[in-house]
C-alpha cells in the first residue's frame, strides 16, 4: 500500500501496480498567491474584455438610466399635479388619490410591474422598458403626492391667512409662500424616494428587460464567476444613487432661505421714504 513516486522507486524495487487509489493528497503550491492574482486577472478579462462584454454592461446601464430618469421626471410631475387637483377638487379627490397612493405604496413593486406587463399591456406592442417607466412613474408619483401633502400641512394655516390678508391669490400663496417653506421638509424625503427608485429598477429583468442587473446575470452565466459582475453592478448602482443625492442636495442648497441675499429677498418690493 505504497504511494509510488520517483523517490520511492530509487530506494525500492517496485512491481507494476495492480491497484490505484482514487484518493489524492492535496498540498499547498508555493505560487498560491501568484495564482490568486492570476485568477482574478483572468476573471476580470473574461467579465469585461473578452467578446466586448463591457458593451453588455453599457447597454444595461443605458436602460437603467433611461428608466430612472423618465420615471423620476414623470413621477414627480404626476405627483405634483395630483396634489394640485386635490387642492382644487377638495375631499372627493383627496379620498381618491389617497386610496390610489395607498395601494401603490403597500403593493410589491414587482407584482405591479408584472401585472401591468403580463395583464394590462399583454396584447400591445409596448416594450418592457416603457412599461417599467410607466409603473415606476406611478409609484414615485404616489410617493410625491403623499410627501407634498404632509410637507404642506406642516406649514401653519396662518401663512395662508396672512397672504390672503395682503391680497395674494391662492396660487400666489401656494407657489410663493407655502411651497418654498414646505420644500425644506419635502426635499430630504424626496431624496430617499429617488434612491429607492434607482434600486427599484433592478427588478425589471422579471419582465425580460435587459437592464444593468440583467446584464450582470448574463455575464455571470457565461463566465461562471459572480465576483466581478456582481461587484460592478453594485458599484454602478451606488454611483447612480450618489448622483441623485448630489442633485437633490444642490436643489436643497439653492432653496435654502439662509443662502438668499437681502437683494433677492427684497426683489420686487418698493420702499417709500
Amino acid at each position: 500500500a505504497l504511494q509510488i513516486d520517483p523517490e520511492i522507486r530509487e530506494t525500492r524495487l517496485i512491481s507494476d501496480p495492480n491497484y490505484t487509489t482514487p484518493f489524492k493528497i492535496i498540498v499547498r503550491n508555493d505560487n498560491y498567491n501568484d495564482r490568486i492574482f492570476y485568477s482574478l486577472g483572468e476573471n476580470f478579462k473574461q467579465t469585461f474584455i473578452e467578446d466586448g462584454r463591457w458593451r453588455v454592461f453599457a447597454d444595461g446601464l443605458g436602460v437603467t438610466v433611461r428608466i430612472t430618469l423618465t420615471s423620476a421626471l414623470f413621477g414627480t410631475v404626476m405627483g405634483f399635479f395630483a396634489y394640485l387637483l386635490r387642492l382644487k377638487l377638495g375631499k372627493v379627490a383627496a379620498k381618491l388619490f389617497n386610496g390610489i397612493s395607498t395601494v401603490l405604496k403597500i403593493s410589491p413593486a414587482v407584482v405591479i410591474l408584472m401585472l401591468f406587463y403580463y395583464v394590462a399591456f399583454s396584447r400591445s406592442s409596448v416594450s418592457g422598458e416603457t412599461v417599467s417607466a410607466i409603473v415606476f412613474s406611478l409609484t414615485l408619483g404616489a410617493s410625491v403626492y403623499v410627501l407634498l401633502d404632509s410637507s404642506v400641512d406642516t406649514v401653519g394655516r396662518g401663512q395662508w391667512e396672512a397672504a390672503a390678508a395682503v391680497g395674494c391669490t391662492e396660487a400666489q400663496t401656494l407657489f410663493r409662500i407655502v411651497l418654498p417653506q414646505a420644500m425644506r421638509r419635502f426635499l430630504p424625503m424626496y431624496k430617499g424616494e429617488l434612491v429607492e427608485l434607482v434600486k427599484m429598477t433592478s427588478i425589471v429583468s422579471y419582465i425580460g428587460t435587459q437592464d444593468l442587473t440583467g446584464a450582470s446575470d448574463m455575464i455571470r452565466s457565461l463566465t461562471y464567476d459572480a465576483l466581478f459582475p456582481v461587484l460592478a453592478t453594485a458599484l454602478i448602482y451606488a454611483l447612480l444613487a450618489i448622483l441623485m443625492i448630489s442633485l437633490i442636495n444642490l436643489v436643497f442648497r439653492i432653496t435654502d432661505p439662509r443662502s438668499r441675499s437681502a437683494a433677492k429677498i427684497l426683489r420686487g418690493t418698493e420702499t417709500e421714504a
Side-chain angles (χ1 to χ4, degrees), residues 79-100:
F80 182 74
F81 277 102
Y83 180 73
L84 293 182
L85 285 175
R86 179 259 191 199
L87 293 179
K88 190 69 176 178
L89 300 180
K91 294 182 179 179
V92 176
K95 291 182 179 179
L96 175 62
F97 290 139
N98 288 337
I100 296 175

Side-chain angles (χ1 to χ4, degrees), residues 126-143:
V126 179
S127 65
E129 181 177 338
T130 303
V131 173
S132 301
I134 293 173
V135 171
F136 297 145
S137 296
L138 291 173
T139 304
L140 181 64
S143 299

Side-chain angles (χ1 to χ4, degrees), residues 18-88:
N18 53 24
Y19 171 76
T20 302
T21 175
F23 301 105
K24 304 294 183 181
I25 298 177
I26 300 176
V27 296
R28 176 167 178 159
N29 193 318
D30 293 337
N31 298 324
Y32 178 72
N33 293 329
D34 295 338
R35 294 185 63 183
I36 288 180
F37 289 112
Y38 175 78
S39 177
L40 290 176
E42 284 296 309
N43 291 341
F44 181 87
K45 181 180 178 181
Q46 291 177 358
T47 301
F48 299 104
I49 308 301
E50 288 187 3
D51 299 328
R53 289 171 183 163
W54 63 270
R55 295 189 182 89
V56 179
F57 278 102
D59 293 340
L61 175 60
V63 172
T64 297
V65 170
R66 288 196 298 271
I67 293 175
T68 301
L69 294 181
T70 303
S71 303
L73 175 61
F74 285 98
T76 302
V77 172
M78 289 169 57
F80 182 74
F81 277 102
Y83 180 73
L84 293 182
L85 285 175
R86 179 259 191 199
L87 293 179
K88 190 69 176 178

Side-chain angles (χ1 to χ4, degrees), residues 75-76 78-80 82-83 97 100-102 104-106 135-151 186 189-194 196-197 200:
T76 302
M78 289 169 57
F80 182 74
Y83 180 73
F97 290 139
I100 296 175
S101 299
T102 301
L104 290 174
K105 289 184 69 65
I106 66 175
V135 171
F136 297 145
S137 296
L138 291 173
T139 304
L140 181 64
S143 299
V144 169
Y145 168 79
V146 172
L147 294 180
L148 276 175
D149 193 21
S150 60
S151 299
F186 171 81
M189 296 183 289
Y190 178 67
K191 178 170 59 179
E193 293 296 332
L194 288 183
E196 288 298 320
L197 174 63
M200 195 187 305

